[in-house]
Amino acid sequence: MKQGAQGSAGTEEPWSAVPDGQARVPRQAGAVSAEGAVRGEGAVRGEHTHGEPPLPRPRPVVQRSSVRGQIVDALRAALVAGDLRPGEVYSAPVLGERFGVSATPVREAMQQLAIEGAVEVVPNRGFRVVERGARELAELAEVRSLIEVPVMLRLARTVPAERWAELRPLAEATVRAASSGCRATYAESDRVFHRAVLDLSGNGQLVQIAEDLHRRAQWPLVGGRPGGRGRADLVADAHEHTALLDALIARDLDVVRVLVGEHFTGAG
C-alpha cells in the first residue's frame, strides 16, 4: 500500500493539520454516474430490483473494507508514534493523500478511532486527536491492573509450565521490537504478547476489554515528546515480559503480582 503522497518535487508530504477553512472533500470512490444510474448500477443498499439476475461475484465491498482496516492500523501506529499530534485537527482528504487512497476509507477509519476514543469529530473540518494528561494515563493503569492482575494470578495457579513456555518467542519478540526504538513497532508486539497471555483465560470479553484499554494506554500525552518513551524505556519494559514468564512458570505469585503492577504503572 502506498504510504504517502508525493509532492511536486517527489518528496513525501508531512502530516498536515486542516486549515481554518472547510476542507474540500473529493468525490467518493465508487460513486455512480447518471448514465450508470439509468442502467440500474449502484442501486440503493437494501432496495430490491425485481427480475435482476444474480451477480456472478460479490461487489468489491470486501476489498474496500480491507483498505479501511489497513488505514485503521496505520492511523493507530501514527497515534502511538506521535505523528498525529494531540489537539490537532486532520481531514480525511489530507490523510487520504498521505496514504495514497481516497477520503472514504480514511473517513471510515477515523470513525472507528472515534468510537475507540482516540479522536473526536469536528463538523465540516475533520477529526481532532484527543488530548489527555498524566491523570488519565494513571487511571488507565489502575483499571488495567484491577482487571489483569487477578486473572494472571489465577492463570499462574492453573496453567501448566509448558503452556507458558510456548509464549517465550512472543516475549522475546517484544525485546527485539523495543531494541529497534520504534514505539509503534513495540506497541504492536506488546499488544500481541498481552493478548496471548489473556487468551489462556478463555474469556473473550475480557480479552477485548483489556485490549481496548491497552490501546488507550499507548497514545501519547499532551506535551509529551513526539516519540513517546525512549529506546531504553522500551527495552526495560520488554524485559519485564520475560521476567513475568519466568515467574509464571515458577508459580511465584508474589513476583507475578509485583511485576504486573509495575508493568502497567510504567507502560505509559
Side-chain angles (χ1 to χ4, degrees), residues 164-173 193 241-243 245-246 249:
W164 293 122
E166 293 173 359
L167 302 185
R168 183 77 64 180
L170 296 180
E172 293 172 347
F193 173 77
H241 295 149
T242 56
L245 281 184
D246 291 338
I249 290 172

Side-chain angles (χ1 to χ4, degrees), residues 31-43:
V32 181
S33 65
E35 181 182 356
V38 171
R39 295 198 306 267
E41 298 175 1

Side-chain angles (χ1 to χ4, degrees), residues 170-180 186 189 234-235 238-239 241-242:
L170 296 180
E172 293 172 347
T174 67
V175 176
R176 291 193 298 272
S179 298
S180 73
Y186 175 69
S189 65
L234 298 181
V235 171
H239 279 299
H241 295 149
T242 56

Side-chain angles (χ1 to χ4, degrees), residues 40-53:
E41 298 175 1
V44 177
R45 186 178 300 175
E47 179 178 332
H48 297 282
T49 305
H50 298 288
E52 180 180 346

Side-chain angles (χ1 to χ4, degrees), residues 14 26 55 58 95 110 160 168 170 182 186 190 207 221 232 244 253:
L55 294 173
L95 294 177
M110 279 295 204
R168 183 77 64 180
L170 296 180
C182 176
Y186 175 69
D190 184 50
V207 172
L221 294 172
L244 176 61
L253 303 186

